[in-house]
Amino acid sequence: MDKINVDHMLAIEEPFIKAPLEQLKRVVRQSQKQSERSASQVSAVLGNMTKQGDAMDDEEVDQELGGLIDRLKTLKRKLEEAKSEEALLIQRSKQRATDLNELSSFESSSVPEFQRWCRSRLDRVLIDYMLRNGSVDTAKLLAKNGNLEHFADSSLFELVMSIERELCEQHSCSGALLWCAENRSALRKIQSALEFELRLQEYIEMIRARQTVAAIVYAKKHLTAWSDTQMARIQRAMTLLAFAPATQCAPYKNMFDEARWDQLAREFRSVIFRLFNLPAQPLLHLLLQTGLSALKTPACVSDDPVEHNRNCPVCQTDTLGKLAQDLPLSHHVNSNLVCRISGEKMDDNNPPMRLPNGYVYSFNALSDMAAKHGKIKCPRTDQLFSMNDAKKLFVS
């Protein structure tokens, strides 16, 4: 019976269960801050009205109370929206926990229920991959057809892509800065300088437009707040005032480089993935690399193409082999001999056969070749032999 290693499977599924919980924490925290801020503002206005007392006429009182009512209505609407989002995230977390809990109920990997679960898991892994690469509509369609909407973090990836497009295409930091303001405490906890980089970029764009006075005012307001940790960068930024955008002087040339926008987009994606406990790589890549690492042998990384096995995915350097480039070699206590012609394992039922030129292939592969063509042709040297020339090998 093929027993399922539940602990190992759950280890790689950690982001799957943590992502909606992290989103829920942030929604609750933002709602709480919003409520506290509005309550403080209302208390301040009421306190001011109480102090003035009879000094305020009826029209002023009506105006102040009308403003308070509008403010409280706005708060109520935002809290209702937050409550709906919280309910959605709670439901999403429950469904994901239920899905993972099913693993403990499967007796073996061969039962139909486990096969169905694996198929569902493959679909959500593909959905994650498509969302990361911008194929949102296709991902949503797959989620809808498979009833996997609660397993897809569509809204999160849509936010990421929206801000990335704003940075890379529109060269605007407004959306990213708004997000930073909403998540400032979380960014401070992970010691992220993303907001500083965005402020620095807006400062650079002012200098590019030769808005020198505005750039200095902006730097005093937004860059000096980071002087404790970014003083060297701030000093370099102020020196940038003396250079034209076409300067060839490094590092100021790099600061004017348009490629900084793409770098900011990559940094934003990295930071938001870190906050929501999402891996930098798609889960599809991680799962594939898990399997590829068990197949990678010294022959796979040999400079001699002859050593590569046509049936080995790691040896296919133009496809899956790219994912395996940085993986360590697998550790095998017992080696298996695999036929280069058929890809089948060579054992007592399919013994290895040595040709006169020294190359070894399986008995079944050579027998099939001899039966079809009358001769055996070595795929490496193109030499021809008869079946009687092949000698059986015994591996001890």
Side-chain angles (χ1 to χ4, degrees):
M1 182 179 291
D2 299 325
K3 189 175 180 181
I4 302 171
N5 193 326
V6 177
D7 291 338
H8 285 182
M9 295 190 71
L10 290 178
I12 204 168
E13 296 289 355
E14 185 178 350
F16 175 65
I17 198 68
K18 274 192 172 183
L21 294 176
E22 289 296 330
Q23 293 180 66
L24 179 61
K25 283 166 56 178
R26 275 159 180 71
V27 170
V28 171
R29 193 177 296 120
Q30 287 173 7
S31 298
Q32 183 180 1
K33 287 182 178 179
Q34 215 164 39
S35 300
E36 291 174 353
R37 186 163 53 247
S38 296
S40 175
Q41 291 170 349
V42 169
S43 297
V45 172
L46 291 175
N48 185 49
M49 291 175 65
T50 303
K51 284 182 181 179
Q52 294 189 35
D54 296 335
M56 297 180 67
D57 57 33
D58 293 343
E59 186 177 345
E60 288 177 332
V61 171
D62 289 342
Q63 187 176 357
E64 290 289 348
L65 290 177
L68 288 178
I69 291 172
D70 290 340
R71 186 171 296 170
L72 291 173
K73 284 182 178 179
T74 301
L75 175 62
K76 180 183 177 182
R77 177 179 54 80
K78 290 183 177 180
L79 290 178
E80 287 175 348
E81 292 174 356
K83 185 178 179 181
S84 299
E85 189 174 358
E86 289 172 19
L88 177 65
L89 291 170
I90 291 172
Q91 180 65 18
R92 184 174 295 175
S93 299
K94 285 182 178 179
Q95 290 202 356
R96 294 188 183 195
T98 301
D99 183 71
L100 293 181
N101 190 50
E102 284 187 37
L103 279 173
S104 59
S105 65
F106 301 134
E107 296 181 356
S108 74
S109 60
S110 58
V111 298
E113 292 80 6
F114 180 71
Q115 300 301 321
R116 176 197 55 77
W117 187 91
C118 288
R119 179 63 201 178
S120 174
R121 182 199 198 194
L122 176 60
D123 284 345
R124 60 178 171 81
V125 167
L126 292 174
I127 290 170
D128 171 79
Y129 181 80
M130 288 187 284
L131 287 173
R132 287 170 179 265
N133 287 275
S135 302
V136 178
D137 293 338
T138 307
K140 285 184 174 180
L141 183 60
L142 179 57
K144 182 178 179 181
N145 291 340
N147 195 25
L148 301 173
E149 287 92 346
H150 286 293
F151 295 164
D153 298 306
S154 304
S155 58
L156 177 60
F157 284 104
E158 284 178 333
L159 170 65
V160 172
M161 286 183 292
S162 172
I163 293 180
E164 284 180 337
R165 281 194 299 269
E166 196 174 84
L167 290 168
C168 297
E169 298 174 11
Q170 301 174 23
H171 288 184
S172 170
C173 298
S174 57
L177 285 171
L178 179 61
W179 181 86
C180 287
E182 294 173 349
N183 297 273
R184 186 165 288 133
S185 60
L187 293 174
R188 195 178 296 115
K189 285 181 181 178
I190 64 173
Q191 298 180 343
S192 170
L194 175 62
E195 184 175 357
F196 172 78
E197 295 294 344
L198 293 167
R199 295 293 185 188
L200 178 61
Q201 188 62 36
E202 288 202 327
Y203 168 80
I204 292 171
E205 294 306 312
M206 290 179 182
I207 297 178
R208 195 194 305 274
R210 307 315 295 169
Q211 299 174 0
T212 306
V213 175
I216 293 173
V217 172
Y218 186 91
K220 287 181 178 179
K221 182 178 180 180
H222 297 293
L223 297 187
T224 54
W226 295 80
S227 57
D228 291 342
T229 57
Q230 302 291 338
M231 179 55 76
R233 301 281 305 281
I234 294 172
Q235 290 173 339
R236 184 173 295 169
M238 299 311 296
T239 308
L240 190 66
L241 289 165
F243 292 88
T247 182
Q248 297 299 310
C249 179
Y252 305 104
K253 178 183 176 181
N254 296 334
M255 294 178 73
F256 280 120
D257 195 340
E258 295 284 354
R260 269 185 57 85
W261 288 106
D262 295 329
Q263 182 181 343
L264 283 172
R266 289 193 297 271
E267 185 170 350
F268 172 76
R269 175 174 283 232
S270 173
V271 169
I272 195 171
F273 281 5
R274 186 177 172 189
L275 286 185
F276 288 102
N277 285 285
L278 293 172
Q281 282 187 302
L283 185 57
L284 178 63
H285 284 186
L286 296 176
L287 292 173
L288 286 172
Q289 287 177 332
T290 301
L292 292 172
S293 64
L295 298 173
K296 190 173 182 180
T297 65
C300 298
V301 296
S302 173
D303 294 330
D304 185 2
V306 175
E307 295 293 326
H308 296 171
N309 188 331
R310 65 178 183 177
N311 296 304
C312 173
V314 182
C315 292
Q316 311 305 315
T317 55
D318 56 337
T319 53
L320 292 177
K322 292 181 179 180
L323 288 176
Q325 285 180 352
D326 299 326
L327 298 178
L329 298 177
S330 60
H331 177 68
H332 293 281
V333 177
N334 298 313
S335 299
N336 293 320
L337 297 178
V338 178
C339 177
R340 178 174 294 275
I341 297 175
S342 64
E344 295 177 351
K345 182 180 177 180
M346 291 185 279
D347 52 24
D348 293 339
N349 298 321
N350 185 26
M353 306 294 291
R354 180 184 181 278
L355 296 178
N357 62 1
Y359 289 108
V360 178
Y361 305 99
S362 69
F363 175 82
N364 291 346
L366 296 182
S367 298
D368 291 343
M369 190 182 296
K372 291 179 181 178
H373 308 289
K375 288 285 186 178
I376 296 171
K377 183 179 180 180
C378 178
R380 297 185 180 182
T381 64
D382 292 333
Q383 293 175 277
L384 296 176
F385 304 100
S386 67
M387 190 63 190
N388 293 332
D389 294 330
K391 304 298 182 184
K392 183 177 179 180
L393 295 180
F394 296 91
V395 181
S396 59

